[in-house]
């Protein structure tokens, strides 16, 4: 099924200029065309149209999956918030005191992946050793990449906070968080942010994500 994603502006990659009224034509899990909405709409009048407010960009990559998903516990907001709070729990002693089973660790990772999708993340880097956590990542749709060379993300100055779910944190240029480009023939993997353009993306932050698409599927949509 053809889907035409139209945004206020389209930024296809790190070195690209924003295209006002840009659009992305998706067929299944691949991008078939990128360009002005009027042009693509005329090319595929039968396509379902999704109109997004803001800036459409490549999806984001988060470095440090192991720290976020295996070395932190993300409490269940419905059943554990009154006892454990809502912030991630870290530290060997603190985690040991929770008596976590592998199933609980997998559920924790599942909750964390939902938070990542809500920030436009489409891929994470790291080496995961807990089977239930690996399964949670695979089922979420996120791509698992090898750890960054040297253990640090490109463009990151200093150490990243161990449990940060923000892919922009520590980056001199938020475009360094882009995972690939939005291009014809490439995977349908992108995000939309409530930002006027590339210059305002840092101010808006990754929490301003409106939608996240992976493999042509809409995996996050702001309500």
């Amino acid at each position: 099924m053809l889907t035409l994603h139209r945004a206020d502006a389209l930024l296809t990659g790190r070195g690209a200029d924003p295209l006002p009224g840009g659009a992305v034509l998706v067929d299944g899990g691949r991008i078939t065309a990128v360009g002005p909405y009027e042009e693509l709409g005329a090319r595929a009048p039968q396509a379902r149209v999704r109109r997004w407010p803001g800036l459409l960009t490549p999806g984001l990559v988060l470095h440090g999956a192991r720290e976020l998903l295996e070395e932190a516990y993300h409490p269940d907001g419905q059943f554990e918030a009154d006892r454990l709070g809502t912030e991630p729990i870290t530290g060997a002693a603190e985690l040991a005191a929770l008596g976590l089973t592998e199933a609980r660790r997998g559920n924790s990772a599942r909750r964390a992946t939902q938070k990542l999708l809500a920030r436009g993340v489409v891929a994470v880097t790291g080496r995961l050793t807990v089977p239930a956590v690996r399964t949670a990542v695979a089922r979420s749709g996120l791509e698992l990449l090898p750890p960054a060379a040297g253990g640090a993300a490109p463009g990151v100055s200093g150490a990243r906070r161990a449990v940060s779910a923000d892919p922009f944190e520590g980056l001199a240029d938020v475009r360094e968080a882009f995972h690939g480009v939005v291009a014809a023939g490439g995977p349908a993997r992108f995000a939309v942010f409530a930002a006027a353009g590339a210059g305002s993306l840092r101010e808006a932050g990754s929490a301003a994500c409106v939608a996240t698409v992976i493999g042509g599927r809409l995996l996050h949509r702001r309500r």
Side-chain angles (χ1 to χ4, degrees):
M1 179 178 182
L2 289 174
T3 302
L4 186 57
H5 295 265
R6 194 258 195 215
D8 294 337
L10 167 65
L11 186 63
T12 58
R14 296 180 187 180
D17 294 323
L19 173 63
V24 178
L25 184 62
V26 173
D27 186 2
R30 311 296 294 184
I31 296 173
T32 61
V34 174
Y37 169 69
E38 291 76 11
E39 177 183 316
L40 298 190
R43 173 176 168 177
Q46 76 279 22
R48 176 180 59 179
V49 178
R50 291 190 182 274
R51 292 178 171 84
W52 302 112
L55 181 68
L56 191 153
T57 76
L60 309 180
V61 59
L62 179 93
H63 299 276
R66 183 172 182 178
E67 291 81 2
L68 180 70
L69 303 177
E70 291 191 345
E71 297 179 2
Y73 180 74
H74 301 264
D76 186 313
Q78 182 177 359
F79 299 107
E80 298 178 323
D82 56 342
R83 181 168 55 91
L84 300 178
T86 58
E87 295 301 310
I89 298 171
T90 60
E94 289 80 359
L95 293 175
L98 294 175
L100 298 176
T101 61
E102 184 167 330
R104 285 185 69 192
R105 296 179 75 177
N107 288 334
S108 168
R110 178 182 53 79
R111 291 188 288 270
T113 60
Q114 292 304 308
K115 295 176 182 178
L116 293 178
L117 291 170
R119 286 181 174 271
V121 173
V122 299
V124 294
T125 68
R127 185 171 292 107
L128 301 178
T129 60
V130 179
V133 173
R134 292 182 63 91
T135 297
V137 172
R139 289 179 176 174
S140 73
L142 295 172
E143 182 180 3
L144 179 60
L145 303 171
V156 172
S157 56
R160 179 186 295 277
R161 280 194 309 150
V163 294
S164 175
D166 183 3
F168 291 161
E169 184 176 315
L171 294 180
D173 184 343
V174 295
R175 289 173 295 185
E176 292 292 327
F178 289 171
H179 183 47
V181 297
V182 178
R189 182 181 61 202
F190 48 85
V192 185
F193 298 90
S200 61
L201 187 53
R202 175 177 289 283
E203 182 179 351
S206 62
C209 180
V210 175
T212 304
V213 173
I214 300 178
R217 296 183 299 150
L218 183 60
L219 296 187
H220 165 72
R221 181 174 188 173
R222 180 186 288 182
R223 299 296 180 182

